[in-house]
Amino acid sequence: MVQGVVTRERMEKWKIVSPEEYGFHKVIVPGREDCQEAAMYRLNLAAGQRYELKPGGEEMNGVCIKGEAGLELAGHHYHCGRLDSFYTAGGNSVAIEAQADCVFYIGASVDEGYGTPFFRAFNMQLPLGEIHQIHGKGVGQREVFMTLNQEIQASRLIAGLTWGGNGAWTSWPPRGHGMLIFGYWQPTHMRAVVTIWRYWIPGGNR
């Protein structure tokens, strides 16, 4: 939770450039940046590298932003391509073996003992519903693909990918009280994609 007066100078510090070097990087962590609860990580792997992601006391939702990899999660094996995602909790580790140079963005928060690990393949051709959504109208319209929708049992994370129109402001829909909203922006040729993790503040509703 961000506390105190929010000034322009303070907000300018929220623009954080994540590392591009290979390895696991803590981009935003409680107590270091201007937040106290949620965390955001970045994992960069070269083709052939293998990494075991150990969540410990956190629940995690990761999205493959670049490349492809093989995943081993909760006893199952998956091929993970660009914009595919995974969720893990309950101390279940994720073994990731890069099949090409790849980048994962990972949102995390406190694991309260809820949630079952799963893998979700990206498919924007899904009909509108719990996973594929449209929010807003006109220049404010955004298309959403949920990587962790609120209908899925989890502790505090709600997550997804959001696309806005060309040159339009892109945000997480729907906005709500009692939420913290963080995002990674990834430029593309025509549109912007933002991967956002929403963290509910105790006392609100997930």
Side-chain angles (χ1 to χ4, degrees):
M1 183 185 301
V2 177
Q3 298 180 341
V5 178
V6 177
T7 63
R8 178 177 179 177
E9 290 75 17
R10 187 177 180 184
M11 286 191 293
E12 287 176 347
K13 296 179 181 179
W14 295 351
K15 181 182 178 181
I16 299 171
V17 178
S18 60
E20 296 185 359
E21 294 79 14
Y22 293 127
F24 180 80
H25 304 280
K26 298 180 179 180
V27 181
I28 300 175
V29 294
R32 191 180 69 186
E33 274 71 37
D34 201 1
C35 69
Q36 299 182 13
E37 300 291 345
M40 299 184 77
Y41 308 125
R42 174 170 172 165
L43 176 64
N44 304 322
L45 296 176
Q49 280 190 316
R50 181 180 175 88
Y51 185 86
E52 186 172 1
L53 183 65
K54 299 179 179 180
E58 294 177 307
E59 60 172 351
M60 293 182 169
N61 179 240
V63 179
C64 180
I65 299 300
K66 173 187 175 182
E68 57 183 333
L71 298 186
E72 184 177 346
L73 173 63
H76 298 279
H77 295 267
Y78 304 95
H79 175 265
C80 184
R82 184 172 182 269
L83 302 186
D84 292 345
S85 61
F86 64 84
Y87 171 79
T88 188
N92 288 280
S93 62
V94 185
I96 304 172
E97 185 167 352
Q99 298 170 351
D101 289 1
C102 60
V103 176
F104 285 85
Y105 290 159
I106 303 164
S109 68
V110 176
D111 185 350
E112 297 181 324
Y114 305 99
T116 301
F118 69 88
F119 173 82
R120 178 168 290 175
F122 176 77
N123 180 7
M124 195 58 90
Q125 301 306 312
L126 289 175
L128 296 181
E130 294 179 357
I131 298 175
H132 184 197
Q133 304 173 8
I134 301 292
H135 293 271
K137 297 180 180 179
V139 296
Q141 180 170 298
R142 289 91 75 202
E143 189 168 14
V144 178
F145 181 86
M146 302 296 296
T147 58
L148 180 59
N149 46 301
Q150 62 187 23
E151 291 81 9
I152 297 292
Q153 187 178 31
S155 291
R156 298 190 176 187
L157 289 178
I158 299 174
L161 299 159
T162 304
W163 287 265
N166 295 339
W169 178 67
T170 305
S171 71
W172 176 261
R175 301 174 70 91
H177 297 290
M179 301 291 178
L180 292 179
I181 303 174
F182 303 96
Y184 278 106
W185 277 261
Q186 176 80 12
T188 63
H189 293 296
M190 296 297 294
R191 307 164 78 186
V193 53
V194 54
T195 307
I196 296 190
W197 289 267
R198 188 167 64 171
Y199 171 90
W200 74 271
I201 300 169
N205 294 314
R206 177 178 176 273

